[in-house]
Amino acid sequence: MTAELAKAYDPASVQDEVAKVWDDEKCFHAEPTDPGEPYSIVIPPPNVTAALHLGHALNNTLQDILIRRARMQGKNTVWLPGTDHAGIATQTVVEKRVLKEEGKRRTEFERDDFVKKIQAWKDEYEQVILGQLKAMGCSCDWDRTAFTMDEPRAKAVREAFFQLFKAGLIYRGKRLVNWDPATLTALADDEVENEEVDGFFYYLKYPVVSSTGISPVNHGRDGHATEYITVATTRHETMLGDTAVAINPKDPRAAALKGKFVRLPIVNRIIPIIEDDYVVLPVSLGGDPADTKAQMATGFLKVTPAHDPNDYDIGQRHNLDIINVMAPDASISDKHGWSDIGDAGFLLGQSREEARKLVVKWFKDNALLEDQKPYRHSVGHSYRSHVAIEPYLSDQWYCKVTDKRLAGAALDAMNPSQISRGTGFQPVAEGEQGLKTHATNTGITFYPERYAKTYQTWHENIRDWCISRQLWWGHRIPVWSSSATRIDFVNLPANATVASMESDGMQYICLRENDTDCIANLERAGFSQDPDVLDTWFSSGLWPLSTLGWPLAAEAASPADSASGLATSVAGDASSDPPPNALSTWNPTSVLCTAREIITLWVSRMVMFNQFFQGQIPFKDVFIHAMIQDGDGRKMSKSLGNGVDPLDIISSHGTDAMRFTLTSMATNTQDVRMPVVRDETTGKNTSPKFDLGRNFANKMWNAARFALMQIESNQSQVANSESQFTTLDRWIMSRFNKTVTECDEAISNYRFDQYARACYDFFWRDFCDWYVEIAKVQFKDETKKSTTAQVIATVLDGSLRLMHPMIPFVTEKLWWKLNEVCPDRGIDGWINRGTNSRVRAQVDGDGNSTRIITAQWPIPGQTDDSAEAIVSNLQELIAQIRTARNDYKVSPKQSVTVTIVAPDCGAEQINLHRDMLESLATCKIAGVETAITTPPVNSTKITAGACEIYIEGLVDEAAEQLRNTKRRDELTKAIAAKKGRLANAGYIAKAPPHLVKETQDQLAAEEAELKALSV
RNA sequence: GGGCGAUUAACUCAGCGGCUAGAGUAUCUCCUUUACACGGAGAGAGUCGGGGGUUCGAAUCCCUCAUCGCCCACCA
């Protein structure tokens, strides 16, 4: 039956066959009521904007490793898949497509019609993405597939918004937002990217007047008497909205200017000169010479509250008017809060860029431009449209994340051992707000630890979160408003489903449920729903809750206390509790596995929301993996054309190959590089790195093929006694057990590269290179062949299990074959009989699974240091003979005759392993002695550790010279280094004694060898 | 401006106080030996970015400089 196995591993056919079985048998599905300690992961939902790239392949491979291992460990394991609607990103790609294909802009469509187009795009890419995840072998519970905008998630969003609204954590604000004038929407702080831009500092002169606006006063720059003061700015077009000029109270000119005004050029607005210590003093007046701002500053700052966040703050402090001089597209406009346009009529309707030029020209023409200096500074740009952000005054919804119950709770959620103290950290007190009541709330641990700092700093400096977006694609804000209607005129249902607030003379009604009657009532009364949608991260922030069924039916129906963040129930702690549900079983999830770029965008919000709504952390660990870059350290991107499509690699190398390579690259650095080359035959991007995985999968396939053939023909007799195992058998089992321990530690610490390496080294080096070759010898021995088959089957079985999480397809297929060849399995079956203290899988339930995906994960058995020491010596002997054969150019097939001199007890072991030595070193052992007086004639002596080997017939004088010279040089160098070390009194006195002894012993051996070589 | 990462063989990376600094790829030699040429046996290849310090001992810890990259803050 092993003849069925092809000579080379064919990934495509195996993947299809195996995937079908997993799917048919619903191997990925779990229920909350299933036995076992819960283990859960929510997938970072990929954006439906595009197909998955290699970064996703890495991310999801690592999650799948964790999931598959947990499942094999008998945990109640679930991996929740899904996708994200990615509001602005998706709307933008669809707008581009529609413009290209239909030549129409979004605004030419009705809202519902355009949303349908986006929906169609989403449907298309959701299928692509889910198909890719399946192709990657991801063992997600597909029955639980979610989308951030499907109905269960929409329900969670409404509930969350309602609870926050009711708790006073959502407010309406006329604030400066990061406005994207191209897509006409507000952006969150972290959606803004900074770019260096070459610009100019302009020095504008403003005439000083008394309060009446008539008489000039003489105070100006650097104290020189003039009727002007000079402000310095890079955003001169916003001067139209200036409502004050500020000076530092420490400025010597401040006293004289107290109570004075300036007449704003062009608009002729009379604005006050105010004092605020935000203003930087120029170097000439005591400012910091190293501060570029102080170098450029005049000491007078134009204050434009509507167009600069800092000016806005100054405006708040001094009760200044806020005059917005721009339309939403960033053109100059008098329709959005600006009436006293003065002489600025010529600027109306101009773009901000054009206005900038015109304003400079005006100042120049009117001799009010004192100077201009080149200046390079960074300017915020939209991460989507890439146009410069405009700080823009608009009405937005805010979530008060600065509240203790949110940011405070997020800090409180940290693993105490990872908190950096003394940075202003103020955790919510134990018990306060009812947080930290859950038994599992021991704190979130970051891997690698350094990212805890990123997280902490973010929350310590957090600002309120603007959650409204002027988009069509997203969760519509569940608030209805009216300016005139009095709320008591409206016939509203019970208080539990409605919350209201008043702001700026407007009535706002928030609805908990999508209650059509209620909405009809409201709309009849003149209320209308807010046109905006919520920031994408609002729904993603709920992901660990919403994918697991939050809000629960009962909770949502009652006027829960949870609105104030009080979570009093502890899952499953009382007999009267309802049966376990997905939420109570799997939240908190076990680990969040993601990239560092979204620690602030996503991780933070999930923690705040989970803490607030559920009173517990959303995940116990956060694992941040490296980012894959191309060979030149650049990000992989479509525009650079340096991306690699996972599906291309799957078809060229196989899924397991891709997964193995990615796993071995998952070190704990920030970035890893993957050289990208273009495959000339397919025209597609690939990377030579994937050959590593392809070769490994093939090696595994072939080693198993050999093992299966041997097992089939050698399993007639069964060993029941430990004593029947050879040293070599015990050696490979010991190596296996150490490998299991290494893998366990590696995975537990999220060091996936170490897991891959441990598997590779064990399987290829120890098992294939050594044990399989040894087994070939043992199979020829009637007394050993049965136990050898048993050991090879046991170790193969264990190896397949150990590697299954990483390379699931090939291991599953081979395990089935192993089952066919020796069906008498299980802990008491043929494989484990006699070996079960040495190679073990977790006992409970093992033997019943017919699929490796649900078979038991290995646990380390007995190790055997004495066998390892013996084999290590034998390996050294073989290596030396092989090297000598190569050095003397002996043909690989030609045997040589050797005499081995092994002092002490080494001779006994060599005699015991004669067959194996002769086979692996292609030699004939003429004799094994403990000492020798006359070396065999015509022989060359080589050394291997404590042994000497005389190889007959090697008489190449030149080769011998070369060899001896090389060895002598090595020894001389090593001896000199050790003598130096031992001559150091400090070393003898302070180094651990065993090291000193080791050095002395090694020195003695090396000196002896050198002496022997010289005679 | 603040923080973080990287700099080790030609390439991609391990190692992070004590083995002659390792692996894979590439290179060179030999081998189509009945698991595997997606293979086997060998070989060559590194003053561990520069400088300073701590230590008996540094690729590994500290300081400093340089180069590349990322994150946060600032956009007078």
Side-chain angles (χ1 to χ4, degrees), chain A residues 112 147 156 188 205 271 388 568 616 650 717 737 835 861 884 990 1015:
Chain A
D112 286 350
F147 172 57
K205 287 155 71 170
I271 57 176
T568 46
Q616 64 190 17
I650 288 171
Q717 291 157 2
N737 290 326
T835 67
K990 295 190 181 175
V1015 287

Side-chain angles (χ1 to χ4, degrees), chain A residues 723-767:
Chain A
S723 63
Q724 288 177 265
F725 296 116
T726 66
T727 304
L728 303 167
D729 297 335
R730 287 188 278 115
W731 168 78
I732 193 64
M733 291 189 277
S734 179
R735 289 292 314 126
F736 174 75
N737 290 326
K738 286 191 176 168
T739 305
V740 174
T741 304
E742 275 179 62
C743 289
D744 272 329
E745 284 176 10
I747 298 174
S748 299
N749 291 312
Y750 305 101
R751 284 303 305 270
F752 296 95
D753 60 321
Q754 292 175 347
Y755 167 49
R757 174 177 285 254
C759 289
Y760 185 97
D761 287 348
F762 169 74
F763 195 77
W764 202 313
R765 303 274 85 99
D766 291 336
F767 186 67

Side-chain angles (χ1 to χ4, degrees), chain A residues 49 99 101 151 284 303 346 398 530 557 577 624-625 766 768 805 829 908 921 999 1015:
Chain A
T49 43
L99 187 63
E101 291 178 0
E151 185 43 35
S284 59
V303 183
F346 72 104
Y398 281 82
D530 198 295
D577 274 1
I624 305 289
H625 64 250
D766 291 336
C768 293
E908 189 192 342
T999 309
V1015 287

Side-chain angles (χ1 to χ4, degrees), chain A residues 503-515:
Chain A
S503 172
D504 264 347
M506 297 283 286
Q507 285 285 348
Y508 294 97
I509 310 276
C510 177
L511 296 189
R512 188 177 207 168
E513 281 156 19
N514 193 19
D515 179 340

